[in-house]
Amino acid sequence: MASEPAGDPTVAEISEGEVLRAILARTAPAAATVIGPGDDAAVIAAASGAVVATTDTLVEGPDFRTAWSSGFDLGWKAAAVNLADVAAMGAAPTALLVALAVPRSTRLSYITDMADGFREACAALAPGCAVVGGDLTVSDVLTVAVTALGDLRGLAPVTRSGARVGDAVALAGEMGEAATGLALLFGRFRDGEHAVPVDRSALDARERRALDAQLRPAPPVGLGPVAAAAGATAMMDVSDGLALDATRLARASAVTIELDLSALGAEPRRALAGGEDHALLATFPDGILPPGFRRIGTVLAAGEHPLMCGGEPVDPSGWDPYRDWDATVA
Amino acid sequence: MASEPAGDPTVAEISEGEVLRAILARTAPAAATVIGPGDDAAVIAAASGAVVATTDTLVEGPDFRTAWSSGFDLGWKAAAVNLADVAAMGAAPTALLVALAVPRSTRLSYITDMADGFREACAALAPGCAVVGGDLTVSDVLTVAVTALGDLRGLAPVTRSGARVGDAVALAGEMGEAATGLALLFGRFRDGEHAVPVDRSALDARERRALDAQLRPAPPVGLGPVAAAAGATAMMDVSDGLALDATRLARASAVTIELDLSALGAEPRRALAGGEDHALLATFPDGILPPGFRRIGTVLAAGEHPLMCGGEPVDPSGWDPYRDWDATVA
């Protein structure tokens, strides 16, 4: 773009203002904007008189590697994981704020690719939502802290604690795909201790799908408000694996959840354990299941174990990013 | 506290859940809370139908050193700088979201001290505001990304661009104190290249005041809504030095600002250049100056230079955290 310095300078070679201008040139306006980027703060419409707010951070090492994630991938994922949390309350995302800490050696193109990733993730997953503000600083560790805001559009928020005995347990989204993608990265794209760039041509269609689920997740953000409008009694984002997150929902609601083994696919262990899917887990009064959700179980009165499957208790050990990411690959 | 592990474990020695429980035990509820911490997202009342939102990050190195800042100091400052940005729009802060990335060697006590700092800064500067959500991850670089939300209470937001010819230019807060405090830290509390803990007994009262302005700034957050209600035409947070920020306000409003040399105190150069004061700079129709603001200049028609003082143009070079903090002290 004409407004950018020639070549591909590092952050250390240009001013903060130049970086910010390049980012803003790629930022779409948010539909709910009252005051956009450039002042001390943004002002976002909250028509229903309340705002949904959540924050989630991606740190290089525990959460991603630049050898595996392009700037676009990173921006997309940082947006998607936060949009999913807003959706899990039953709300429609309205705005993102991005706090970016980057090494001085970071190329401007990596940052503008991130801005593209934020924009395109919003366009695909939550149309009308966009980055409305942010902060840029330098750090030895690339860190992307995103805050997402959302509007409930007159509906009550759907928490984790409202599941009732007899409700259907339903899921929208993937089970285990993102974890399979992560296993591919660790298994196939490293050289000893070092991550190496992904060669997509070495992957078959199913593997590519899993890789995309890991690097550019597409959670069913639009189904959050759909579930709320349909009368979901409880809902949450499944980010730490179905086993752990269903256990959390069951505990918050003081019930037991019985999962149907037959609903967990050909690899139930993978479906239960895999993290980072950002599916929506919800409970609905029996007989109500909005489009996009599939039934995977039933809410029972609280028993000895919060989560059961096929008549057996399920170990709630789920996804631990420190354990699964931080292992041996630099 | 009984809920905490014995001794003072590091983050690596305890679970994320234990750290979060220790933080939440120290977190006061926010007055505007609809849904508080513990679900996928918080829900905060936005009575006026819009929400003010801003984010600002503190990174160890460019922004602070743990040798100089206690956990309490760091939490306080991370809250205060964001509260000031909300106030600068004319809004009352309602909620903070905290994205914390900490080294594994971080002691739990440092993190709980931060939680105390957040709580006490809110209590002192923006009563009713509190931390409503957050995220905890590990990183080699201690990073605190805070998002602050606020409510306009029916008033229009005050931007940087509304100053009109003939308006009074006014300031609430300090000029140059925080920069003096920073110079003290670099000048008196290091051993060669290394920051060493502050010995307050080696400081006189004036020096202690400057140190506090740097480590625990107390911006006039409550005066933001006061200025908006009084009819401020433009307002901004002075974080990069009066010279640079007044230049920004003048440019955004397409006017020239003439500062009164006599209003800049005994050290006008320090008043103009010092960063991190988080004073409120505002313009008011002539004759209106709400309590807490003092007149420091006048809005003129746009001239050759956006900022003048004593008949001379003022160099807008202000505060650059990379330059001033990142120098030679580890």
Side-chain angles (χ1 to χ4, degrees), chain A residues 58 64 69-79 110 114 142 144:
Chain A
L58 301 184
F64 67 91
S69 291
S70 67
F72 187 97
D73 291 340
L74 181 57
W76 177 292
K77 183 164 179 172
Y110 196 86
M114 283 188 61
L142 178 52
V144 191

Side-chain angles (χ1 to χ4, degrees), chain A residues 11-275:
Chain A
V11 168
E13 291 164 351
I14 53 179
S15 73
E16 182 180 357
E18 286 173 298
V19 180
L20 291 176
R21 277 192 292 277
I23 294 173
L24 287 177
R26 288 174 156 75
T27 303
T33 299
V34 179
I35 305 280
D39 220 291
D40 294 285
V43 183
I44 309 303
S48 67
V51 63
V52 174
T54 183
T55 188
D56 210 352
T57 305
L58 301 184
V59 177
E60 181 161 22
D63 298 310
F64 67 91
R65 305 284 155 85
T66 49
W68 291 334
S69 291
S70 67
F72 187 97
D73 291 340
L74 181 57
W76 177 292
K77 183 164 179 172
V81 301
N82 279 282
L83 296 172
D85 279 326
V86 170
M89 302 304 288
T94 51
L96 302 179
L97 294 105
V98 179
L100 198 56
V102 301
R104 290 168 188 275
S105 59
T106 306
R107 297 277 169 196
L108 179 61
S109 63
Y110 196 86
I111 295 176
T112 53
D113 284 352
M114 283 188 61
D116 289 343
F118 280 114
R119 187 189 64 240
E120 294 306 312
C122 287
L125 305 175
C129 181
V131 175
V132 298
D135 182 47
L136 178 69
T137 184
V138 294
S139 171
D140 288 343
V141 178
L142 178 52
T143 306
V144 191
V146 174
T147 298
L149 306 181
D151 194 59
L152 286 159
R153 295 179 178 168
L155 297 168
V158 184
T159 68
R160 302 176 177 187
S161 58
R164 292 176 303 203
V165 176
D167 283 353
V169 177
L171 191 91
E174 307 285 358
M175 291 185 297
E177 282 294 314
T180 300
L182 185 61
L184 276 172
L185 290 171
F186 275 88
R188 306 259 294 272
F189 300 104
R190 60 175 178 169
D191 179 4
E193 293 187 357
H194 291 276
V196 301
V198 173
D199 175 9
R200 288 179 69 89
S201 70
L203 301 175
D204 65 27
R206 188 168 180 288
E207 290 168 335
R208 278 182 212 160
R209 183 159 169 268
L211 189 75
D212 288 344
Q214 169 58 224
L215 297 179
R216 293 188 196 180
V221 176
L223 292 179
V226 168
T233 50
M235 186 155 55
M236 73 182 290
D237 167 52
V238 182
S239 53
D240 294 334
L242 182 58
L244 180 54
D245 286 330
T247 298
R248 286 173 172 152
L249 192 149
R251 287 197 170 129
S253 296
V255 297
T256 282
I257 285 178
E258 166 86 41
L259 297 176
D260 303 333
L261 184 59
S262 64
L264 300 184
E267 298 173 75
R269 196 176 301 271
R270 186 185 87 133
L272 285 167

Side-chain angles (χ1 to χ4, degrees), chain A residues 35 39-44 46 49-54 56-57 59 62 85 88-89 99 104 135 137-138 147 159-160 236-237 326, chain B residues 39-44 46 49-54 56-57 59 62 85 88-89 99 104 135 137-138 147 159-160 236-237 326:
Chain A
I35 305 280
D39 220 291
D40 294 285
V43 183
I44 309 303
V51 63
V52 174
T54 183
D56 210 352
T57 305
V59 177
D85 279 326
M89 302 304 288
R104 290 168 188 275
D135 182 47
T137 184
V138 294
T147 298
T159 68
R160 302 176 177 187
M236 73 182 290
D237 167 52
D326 239 4
Chain B
D39 219 293
D40 294 285
V43 184
I44 308 303
V51 63
V52 174
T54 182
D56 209 354
T57 304
V59 176
D85 279 326
M89 301 304 288
R104 288 167 188 275
D135 182 47
T137 185
V138 293
T147 298
T159 68
R160 301 176 177 187
M236 73 183 291
D237 167 53
D326 238 6

Side-chain angles (χ1 to χ4, degrees), chain A residues 245-329:
Chain A
D245 286 330
T247 298
R248 286 173 172 152
L249 192 149
R251 287 197 170 129
S253 296
V255 297
T256 282
I257 285 178
E258 166 86 41
L259 297 176
D260 303 333
L261 184 59
S262 64
L264 300 184
E267 298 173 75
R269 196 176 301 271
R270 186 185 87 133
L272 285 167
E276 298 190 278
D277 277 321
H278 301 287
L280 286 175
L281 175 69
T283 56
F284 296 93
D286 199 22
I288 298 176
L289 216 59
F293 283 87
R294 58 191 185 277
R295 181 166 186 150
I296 62 167
T298 304
V299 178
L300 307 178
E304 189 182 351
H305 303 284
L307 186 63
M308 305 286 291
C309 185
E312 298 287 330
V314 178
D315 175 10
S317 71
W319 173 252
D320 178 346
Y322 306 167
R323 183 192 64 206
D324 292 331
W325 264 98
D326 239 4
T328 55
V329 177

Side-chain angles (χ1 to χ4, degrees), chain B residues 21-294:
Chain B
R21 276 191 292 280
I23 294 172
L24 287 177
R26 287 176 157 73
T27 302
T33 299
V34 179
I35 305 279
D39 219 293
D40 294 285
V43 184
I44 308 303
S48 65
V51 63
V52 174
T54 182
T55 188
D56 209 354
T57 304
L58 301 184
V59 176
E60 182 161 22
D63 297 310
F64 67 90
R65 306 284 155 86
T66 49
W68 290 334
S69 290
S70 67
F72 187 97
D73 292 340
L74 180 57
W76 177 292
K77 184 165 179 172
V81 301
N82 279 282
L83 296 172
D85 279 326
V86 170
M89 301 304 288
T94 52
L96 303 179
L97 294 104
V98 179
L100 198 55
V102 301
R104 288 167 188 275
S105 60
T106 306
R107 297 277 169 194
L108 178 61
S109 62
Y110 196 85
I111 296 175
T112 53
D113 284 352
M114 282 188 62
D116 290 342
F118 280 114
R119 187 190 63 241
E120 294 305 313
C122 287
L125 304 175
C129 181
V131 175
V132 298
D135 182 47
L136 178 70
T137 185
V138 293
S139 171
D140 287 343
V141 179
L142 178 52
T143 305
V144 191
V146 174
T147 298
L149 306 180
D151 193 60
L152 286 158
R153 296 180 178 167
L155 297 168
V158 184
T159 68
R160 301 176 177 187
S161 57
R164 292 176 303 203
V165 175
D167 283 353
V169 177
L171 192 90
E174 307 286 357
M175 290 185 297
E177 282 294 315
T180 300
L182 185 62
L184 275 172
L185 290 171
F186 275 88
R188 306 259 293 272
F189 299 105
R190 59 174 178 170
D191 178 5
E193 293 188 356
H194 291 276
V196 300
V198 174
D199 175 8
R200 288 180 70 89
S201 71
L203 302 175
D204 66 28
R206 189 170 178 288
E207 289 168 337
R208 279 182 212 160
R209 184 161 168 267
L211 189 76
D212 288 343
Q214 169 57 226
L215 297 179
R216 293 189 196 178
V221 176
L223 292 179
V226 167
T233 51
M235 185 155 55
M236 73 183 291
D237 167 53
V238 182
S239 53
D240 294 334
L242 182 59
L244 179 54
D245 285 331
T247 298
R248 287 173 171 151
L249 192 148
R251 286 195 169 129
S253 296
V255 297
T256 282
I257 285 178
E258 166 85 40
L259 297 175
D260 303 333
L261 185 58
S262 64
L264 300 183
E267 298 173 76
R269 193 176 303 271
R270 186 184 87 134
L272 286 167
E276 298 191 279
D277 276 321
H278 301 286
L280 287 174
L281 176 68
T283 55
F284 297 94
D286 198 21
I288 298 177
L289 216 60
F293 282 85
R294 57 191 185 276

